[in-house]
């Protein structure tokens, strides 16, 4: 993955993502990839709005909606799919117009400010790791018999605690996005630590903890173990995702090299008369 902080005003070739990995896939054309991402963006947006409105109108319980890490990470997924979908669509149009090989960068993000470029990379890192943490923590610590009843709970929990990881793994396995930058690992740990502040502010202002395992009175010494465990889990998930992406890049590169080799060995076709 290109370092988004490196730019050169003298060289018209984009230094951010010069191989356009963020907007391409070895499995789909740019147009299809853009369509999938925008479809997932629409699904996540509809799910967020539906669950927020339902909790506000039917359950009168929307005050703490944005205090849940689950919802925040799902918002991150929604934001990433909209952002990456639009960028991928712009790239596909650029390719269709034949301008991808010109001096103009093939998609808008390559021309934008370096801060925005880095934030896009960081957003990708969070959506590739946080949903997996959410899924593991929910099904290991929080799931109960009421997770699938009534129907609203089933829809919300399957969408936010199962499909969220499916969407994340789609980006990890089926796009060309490169390995997560190691600089983002401590940043994601800081973000997780910042969420603790959100949880305790929620308790101070609204009188409840978003997650029962964050209640120091109920958990006692185990609270520290939970916090450290989640931080360690983030490190493990980050390294695992990094390794999966490196393996995917190796396999795709090997497949392409094999294809080129076979094509070269076959030689030009001889037309017989």
């Amino acid at each position: 993955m290109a370092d988004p902080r490196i730019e050169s005003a003298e060289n018209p070739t984009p230094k951010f993502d010069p191989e356009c990995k963020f907007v391409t896939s070895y499995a789909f054309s740019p147009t299809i990839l853009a369509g999938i991402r925008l479809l997932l963006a629409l699904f996540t947006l509809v799910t967020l709005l539906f669950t927020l409105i339902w909790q506000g109108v039917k359950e009168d319980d929307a005050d703490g909606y944005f205090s849940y890490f689950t919802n925040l990470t799902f918002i991150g997924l929604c934001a990433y799919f909209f952002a990456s979908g639009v960028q991928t669509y712009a790239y596909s149009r650029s390719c269709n117009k034949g301008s991808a090989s010109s001096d103009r960068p093939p998609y808008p993000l390559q021309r934008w400010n370096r801060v925005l470029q880095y934030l896009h990379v960081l957003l990708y890192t969070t959506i590739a790791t946080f949903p997996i943490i959410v899924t593991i923590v929910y099904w290991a610590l929080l799931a109960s018999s009421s997770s699938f009843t009534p129907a609203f709970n089933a829809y919300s929990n399957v969408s936010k605690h199962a499909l969220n990881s499916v969407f994340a793994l789609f980006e990890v396995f089926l796009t060309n996005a490169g390995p997560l930058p190691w600089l983002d690992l401590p940043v994601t740990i800081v973000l997780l630590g910042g969420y603790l502040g959100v949880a305790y502010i929620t308790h101070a202002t609204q009188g409840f903890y978003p997650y029962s395992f964050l209640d120091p009175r109920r958990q006692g010494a185990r609270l520290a173990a939970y916090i450290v465990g989640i931080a360690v889990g983030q490190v493990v998930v980050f390294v695992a995702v990094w390794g999966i992406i490196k393996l995917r890049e190796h396999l795709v590169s090997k497949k392409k090299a094999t294809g080129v080799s076979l094509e070269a060995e076959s030689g030009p076709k001889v037309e017989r008369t």
Side-chain angles (χ1 to χ4, degrees), residues 50-200:
F50 174 71
T51 53
L52 175 60
I53 294 170
W54 182 280
Q55 288 181 218
V57 175
K58 293 286 188 178
E59 301 177 354
D60 193 25
D61 187 31
D63 291 345
Y65 188 85
F66 296 102
S67 296
Y68 288 90
F69 192 67
T70 293
N71 293 333
L72 296 178
T73 58
F74 210 69
I75 290 170
L77 279 168
C78 181
Y80 180 79
F81 283 126
F82 268 117
S84 62
V86 169
Q87 296 293 331
T88 307
Y89 176 71
Y91 174 76
S92 68
R93 284 180 56 84
S94 178
C95 291
N96 291 336
K97 291 180 179 179
S99 59
S101 60
S102 68
D103 289 339
R104 185 182 182 187
Y107 67 97
L109 184 60
Q110 292 174 316
R111 307 191 294 271
W112 291 0
N113 185 276
R114 285 175 292 179
V115 173
L116 295 177
Q117 293 172 347
Y118 174 70
L119 289 177
H120 187 85
V121 175
L122 179 60
L123 181 58
Y124 170 71
T125 299
T126 61
I127 69 97
T129 57
F130 285 171
I132 299 172
I133 294 292
V134 167
T135 298
I136 293 172
V137 171
Y138 180 79
W139 296 110
L141 298 177
L142 303 172
S144 66
S145 58
S146 64
S147 295
F148 296 103
T149 54
F152 170 78
N153 285 357
Y155 171 75
S156 179
N157 287 322
V158 168
S159 297
K160 296 178 182 179
H161 299 119
L163 292 180
N164 61 331
S165 288
V166 173
F167 298 159
L169 293 175
F170 166 81
E171 288 290 327
V172 171
F173 280 100
L174 295 176
T175 72
N176 288 333
L180 310 179
W182 287 106
L183 175 64
D184 286 353
L185 176 55
V187 176
T188 58
I189 297 295
V190 170
L191 290 175
L192 288 171
Y195 174 72
L196 288 177
V198 173
Y200 290 113

Side-chain angles (χ1 to χ4, degrees), residues 31-45:
T31 301
I32 293 177
L33 179 61
I36 293 174
R37 282 173 162 173
L38 291 173
L39 184 63
L40 294 179
L42 181 62
F43 173 81
T44 52
L45 178 61

Side-chain angles (χ1 to χ4, degrees), residues 2 7 14 53-54 107 121 131 149 154 160 201 233 244 250 255 258 266:
E7 284 284 349
I53 294 170
W54 182 280
Y107 67 97
V121 175
T149 54
K160 296 178 182 179
I201 288 173
I244 289 170
H250 172 72
K255 182 178 179 181
T258 302
S266 63

